[in-house]
Each structure stands twice: as C-alpha cells, then as structure tokens.
Amino acid sequence: PIRDYSPRPIAVTAPSISANELELKERRGNSTIDFVRQILTSTQGVLFLIVAVLWMYLANASDVFWSNRNIGTLLSTVSLVAMTAIGMTLLIIAREVDLSVGSMQAFIGVIAMQELNRHESLLLGLLFALAVGAVIGLINAGLTLWLGISSFVVTLGMLSIIRGAAYTTTSAAVQNDHKLSSFKQVFNGAFITEPIRIPWPVVVLAVVFTIFTLLLTRTTFGRYVYAVGGNPKAAALAGIPVNKVKVACFVLTSMLASLSAFMLIARMNSGQNNAGFGFELQVIGAVLLGGASLAGGKGTLVGTLFAALLLGTLNNGITLLGYNPNWQTAIPGIVILAAIFFDSVRRRATHED
C-alpha cells in the first residue's frame, strides 16, 4: 500500500478563557468607566481637571510659572484663602455666612503683631490671635441667633466695625520689632525647597484640612452640620441642638480666619490695617464654586480646596501673562454670581425649596 506522507494542517485551538476571567475584565472595564464618569459629573472632579489644564497652559505660556519662587508664592496665597474657606464651608452648609473675615485679616494682624512685640513669644501671640477670633465668632453668633438677625446683616456690620477697629488701633503698619526667628520660619519658611518649594503654610493647611475633613465626614457633629443646614426645623425636632451647632461653626470660622491672619503677618513681616480688602469675596467664592449652596445642607471641603486653588491660579496667571490686574478683583464676584445662578437652576430642576 502507498502511504500518504503529505503535510496535514494542524488544528490550533485558542486558549480558553474562563467565565471568572471574563467577569473580572468586565468589572475592571466598568470600574474605569464609572471612575471617569464620577470625575466628569462631580464638582470636585471638574475643578481638578480645570486646574490641571490651566497649570499645563500656564507652564507653556510662562517660563517662570514652574519656578520655585512662583509656585511657593501661589501655594502660600492659596493656603491663606483655603484656610478660612474651610471654616466658611461649615458655616455655609449650616445656612449662615460671615462677611467679616476680610476685616479680621487686618484687625487680628495688627493686634497680634503688637502682642508679639510686647511679649516676644510666638505661642502667646498665636493663642492671643485665636482667642480674639473666637470672641468675634461668639459675637457674630450671638447677634445672629439670639437676636434673630440675619447673619448677612450682622457680619456686614461687623465687617465695618472690625475694619474701623484696625484703623483706630494703629495709624500705620505695625512693624516687626520682636525679631523672633521662629515667627518667619514656621509661618513663612519652606518645608521643602526641591524639586518644588512647599511653604510651611501649605503644611499647616494640610493638617487643618485633614482634621476638619474627619470632623465633617466622620463625626456626629459633621452630620449635625448637614442636618441643620438641610432643614433646621426637622433637625430641632430630631433633638439636634441647632443653635449650638451654628455657634460652633461661627467660632471655628473666625478662629481659622485668625490663623490665616497670623500667617499673613508672617508673610508680610508686619501687621497692616489695610490688609484683607476683598478677602471675604475670595473665601465665599471658593466655597460656592466648590459646590456649597447658600441654601445650606450641601458642600465639601475637597471642592472648596480645589476651588481655592483654581481662583489662586487664575490670579497668578493674570499677573504672569501681564493682563489687567483689576481682573483679580472682578473674578471672585463673577464666580459668586455664576455659582448662585447655577445653584438656583439646579434647585429649580430638582424641585428643592
């Protein structure tokens, strides 16, 4: 018999994929899609993307944007706004507002520098500033809650009173006569200088941000703040001490504004009675742009932080690119109006009161 030795095709079988592997791949794909969708649909995610794009643009448009000096200045400026905005976020979530934080930058700055010159103690100066801030917060809370006056009206009046107190306390800038090395080292020096300069105010902000994030998201007090802002009457019926929660928010906001003022005088190396003009608009603009609502019950510290970084970057870009510096004054107002408009549209669409 004649045998056939011609080559025959070899059957190649694809490696089998188990159902578990297919399910795992599908889950990974869905999780990636969900992550991207969450970024694009959340206020924090959109702000993060805008900041990232803006930083890339400024890096290409300006040779000095990534310089250590510019990054350090930018982060220090943002830290002062974000520090106070953290407290303001709690206050706005609780359906209140404080317009006097800008004047506190001046008043607490000059009296804190006077205290530092008198006792030459960094700790005493800082505690003095925080104590004065707590007193101002208690006054704002007392006039608002126990006299039944709108916090907008109360703090608008306090804005003028505190600014006047800053001018009557001193007719000029209070110079640094104590020469404490720790003063500028702690609140104006740098934690690291390479490859990017990270000033100490950024480290202080990171600590405060972590503490208040845990306070707002992991404690009973944080749940009370959202409940009080969402529906004060229902919160009171549920046994929540509405007034005490609001008092705490007023005091915390003022104390964080005091800490910000203390860092500002370290940066300027003097206390100036004309400091803080327009500061309250930057703070409130950051809170509203970050997703909070003047109607209360809504807001996050992450959104506030990214919004403060965005506003600071815009101001920095205006300076670097040589645009009219008056836009730095206009931007917070534009942001506030836009945030209020979109929040109003959202509440109407969702039939919120």
Side-chain angles (χ1 to χ4, degrees), residues 76 122 176 178-193 197-204 262-263 265-267 269:
S76 294
L122 179 65
N176 179 356
H178 55 77
K179 308 301 180 183
L180 289 171
S181 59
S182 58
F183 177 61
K184 293 193 68 177
Q185 180 68 26
V186 173
F187 292 102
N188 199 39
F191 176 65
I192 59 173
T193 57
R197 178 181 172 85
I198 304 296
W200 272 109
V202 177
V203 179
V204 177
F262 201 84
M263 291 193 296
I265 63 174
R267 182 178 177 184
N269 204 30

Side-chain angles (χ1 to χ4, degrees), residues 10 29 36 44 52 91-92 94 135 198 217 252 266 271 279 300 303 335:
I10 301 175
V36 174
Q44 302 94 311
L91 194 57
I92 289 180
V135 171
I198 304 296
T217 61
L252 289 173
F279 182 75
T300 65
V335 167

